[in-house]
Amino acid sequence: MRSILVTVDDTPSSLAARTLAAALARQAGAALRGVTGIELSDLDKVEAVPLGGVEYAYDRLKHRERQAVERRARIAGLPEAFQRSLAEQGLEAPCSMIEADVRGALLREIQTCDLVVTGRDTEFHLEPGDGVAPMVEHLIARGGRPVVVSGPAAAGTGPVMVAYDGSAPSAKALQMATLLGLFGPAGSAPGAVHVLSIHRDRAEASGVAARAGAFLASHGIEATLESSAAAGDPADFLMRRAGEIGARMLVMGAFGHRGFREILFGSCTRRLFNTAPLPLFIYH
């Protein structure tokens, strides 16, 4: 991995993503840079005005204008603050600013990097949100690069957990995470990677996990393999096991009975993105 792009916002999740991106850059010897944007589309929306509410409408307009000025002022200071915080950690990391067509410009920026790291509520509104933001979904679905999505909690120091179901998207996510060096260098201490496969049939789950282990072994990575026939929502089981082993990241492709589209846009993945206490690596 040569380059990491991290989105720069002013929410707890974004600050955690910045710390994680710095750690990944040091681990891989990769260049790190930030990107932030002035996003005011939420303030440009036309609000419904009650009958005879001209004065109300004028007050709301002035309020949105003040919010826009305040947001611009706060965002203007983010690049310098980002660069200063990384310099204190011994890293040189520039930060660029996007002022128009934020989503389109972000997609173009992503094309120049190997990995994107983002807080799950990054929307460049400077306010923490509930769950994964639409902009983050946009980056995952259309960015063409693997994305690590962080919540507000700092990443742990335990193993990387791989949620593996043997599907093509799952295999691609495992391969990409391996090639990017997210598991650490070949020959790392055993137990640094924990592969978890869930299937209705435990024997099938065991075979799936074994294939993932064989792939990792071919790259000099010794993984702990776990197979389970656990019933119920896979998201609940994944989060519980991740907590029990102290996982520092969850690598996932497809994981569920309805395939990758369910995992990318459906309830299982949305719950993981919204509530998982550890960063999630996903490759679409």
Side-chain angles (χ1 to χ4, degrees):
M1 176 163 56
R2 299 296 182 86
S3 60
I4 299 173
L5 181 70
V6 57
T7 59
V8 179
D9 205 338
D10 195 21
T11 69
S13 292
S14 293
L15 295 176
R18 180 187 309 179
T19 300
L20 175 60
L24 292 174
R26 284 192 294 267
Q27 174 181 303
L32 176 64
R33 56 194 174 85
V35 60
T36 190
I38 297 177
E39 176 56 73
L40 303 174
S41 60
D42 60 313
L43 301 180
D44 294 334
K45 295 178 181 178
V46 177
E47 297 183 0
V49 179
L51 187 64
V54 175
E55 183 176 350
Y56 168 84
Y58 179 78
D59 289 342
R60 290 296 301 166
L61 173 63
K62 291 301 180 182
H63 175 69
R64 292 197 302 274
E65 289 177 348
R66 287 193 298 270
Q67 283 186 303
V69 170
E70 292 171 1
R71 188 179 296 176
R72 283 183 178 277
R74 287 178 60 192
I75 290 176
L78 288 183
E80 182 181 351
F82 170 82
Q83 292 169 186
R84 185 171 59 252
S85 69
L86 271 295
E88 291 171 354
Q89 302 177 49
L91 293 174
E92 183 179 347
C95 183
S96 58
M97 172 80 74
I98 299 172
E99 297 194 35
D101 183 23
V102 172
R103 294 193 177 193
L106 268 177
L107 295 183
R108 293 188 288 273
E109 285 279 347
I110 287 172
Q111 293 176 12
T112 66
C113 72
D114 293 312
L115 176 70
V116 180
V117 181
T118 182
R120 67 186 177 205
D121 56 4
T122 295
E123 198 73 55
F124 302 140
H125 292 167
L126 304 177
E127 300 294 339
D130 295 325
V132 62
M135 184 176 292
V136 175
E137 292 186 3
H138 178 72
L139 298 183
I140 294 170
R142 300 187 60 186
R145 291 291 188 273
V147 181
V148 175
V149 181
S150 174
T157 58
V160 176
M161 175 179 278
V162 179
Y164 194 75
D165 70 353
S167 65
S170 179
K172 290 178 182 178
L174 177 62
Q175 180 192 40
M176 183 60 70
T178 303
L179 296 180
L180 290 176
L182 292 189
F183 303 131
S188 297
V193 183
H194 188 107
V195 175
L196 173 59
S197 177
I198 305 173
H199 195 276
R200 295 184 183 90
D201 181 271
R202 184 180 292 276
E204 179 67 20
S206 180
V208 168
R211 292 197 296 274
F215 171 79
L216 290 167
S218 72
H219 287 268
I221 299 170
E222 184 177 342
T224 299
L225 306 182
E226 178 183 356
S227 56
S228 174
D233 190 335
D236 291 334
F237 188 75
L238 285 172
M239 284 192 285
R240 183 170 71 253
R241 288 297 293 134
E244 290 170 350
I245 69 172
R248 70 178 186 271
M249 184 182 299
L250 174 62
V251 172
M252 53 185 281
F255 212 92
H257 303 315
R258 283 174 283 182
F260 188 52
R261 184 169 182 82
E262 163 62 20
I263 277 303
L264 187 58
F265 299 106
S267 59
C268 179
T269 297
R270 187 170 296 279
R271 288 187 59 236
L272 286 170
F273 278 137
N274 289 348
T275 63
L278 74 168
L280 307 179
F281 172 96
I282 189 165
Y283 178 47
H284 174 36

